[in-house]
């Protein structure tokens, strides 16, 4: 598996500077719900420090962690795709510091600078592909374990 793409380091410096002009620094205390699946996705974050758990609700009482994100990771991609609703929930696993980006402002920037827009979409697509591969590997590992009779 290839190394995970980090959005800010993947962008060429001039494009990164234009994007960062839209960033605002935020923090989330440990155990803070950052967003819930099904709610409006109108922003995204790049984690500076700490850890964020992405989760999926299984039933009214139970959530399953599907990924843990750390420094440099992109948190949120649903802002980029209709219907612009979060597919997962997210919670600060520890104290989190992040750069927050308003999706509408970033989309306007992408329209003004199509080269930046294309680079940004390609970076997000690469991040999604990496996370999908990581999920596949985890699921295959569970399947192999189950077929060997190990719970």
């Amino acid at each position: 598996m290839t190394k995970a793409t980090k959005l800010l380091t993947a962008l060429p410096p001039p494009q990164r500077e234009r994007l960062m002009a839209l960033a605002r620094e935020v923090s989330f205390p440990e155990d803070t719900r950052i967003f819930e699946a099904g709610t409006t996705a109108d922003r995204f974050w790049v984690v500076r420090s700490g850890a964020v758990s992405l989760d999926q609700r299984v039933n009214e009482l139970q959530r399953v962690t599907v990924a843990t994100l750390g420094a440099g990771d992109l948190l949120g991609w649903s802002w980029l795709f209709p219907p612009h609703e979060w597919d997962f929930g997210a919670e600060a696993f520890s104290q989190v510091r992040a750069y927050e980006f308003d999706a509408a402002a970033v989309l306007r920037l992408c329209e003004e600078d199509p080269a930046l827009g294309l680079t940004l979409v390609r970076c997000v697509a690469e991040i999604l592909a990496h996370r999908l591969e990581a999920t596949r590997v985890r699921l295959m590992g569970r399947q192999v374990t189950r077929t060997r009779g190990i719970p």
Side-chain angles (χ1 to χ4, degrees):
M1 185 169 23
T2 61
K3 185 178 177 196
T5 298
K6 304 292 185 181
L7 180 67
L8 296 180
T9 56
L11 291 172
Q15 292 177 340
R16 182 173 50 245
E17 289 171 18
R18 292 199 67 201
L19 180 64
M20 288 304 295
L22 301 177
R24 104 182 160 96
E25 293 186 28
V26 298
S27 64
F28 301 100
E30 182 177 352
D31 298 329
T32 299
R33 288 301 288 175
I34 300 170
F35 55 82
E36 291 288 349
T39 60
T40 302
D42 60 357
R43 63 197 68 247
F44 66 95
W45 300 264
V46 173
V47 177
R48 295 178 59 212
S49 65
V52 176
S53 297
L54 292 179
D55 57 49
Q56 186 67 54
R57 185 176 290 280
V58 176
N59 57 43
E60 285 297 314
L61 302 174
Q62 186 181 14
R63 299 176 195 269
V64 173
T65 298
V66 295
T68 302
L69 307 178
D73 286 333
L74 172 67
L75 171 59
W77 62 75
S78 298
W79 61 275
L80 195 53
F81 308 104
H84 307 288
E85 293 178 352
W86 299 116
D87 291 318
F88 301 99
E91 185 170 316
F93 186 72
S94 64
Q95 171 75 25
V96 173
R97 293 176 54 218
Y99 293 117
E100 181 178 83
F101 297 87
D102 177 84
V106 172
L107 291 171
R108 279 192 299 279
L109 177 62
C110 290
E111 288 176 8
E112 294 167 8
D113 185 345
L116 185 149
L118 179 60
T119 303
L120 183 64
V121 168
R122 283 182 174 163
C123 287
V124 171
E126 191 172 327
I127 291 166
L128 290 173
H130 183 269
R131 290 189 189 164
L132 182 61
E133 174 66 9
T135 300
R136 185 186 72 77
V137 167
R138 269 197 323 274
L139 290 173
M140 292 301 292
R142 287 183 186 161
Q143 185 62 35
V144 167
T145 300
R146 285 189 185 132
T147 59
R148 291 184 183 154
I150 303 169

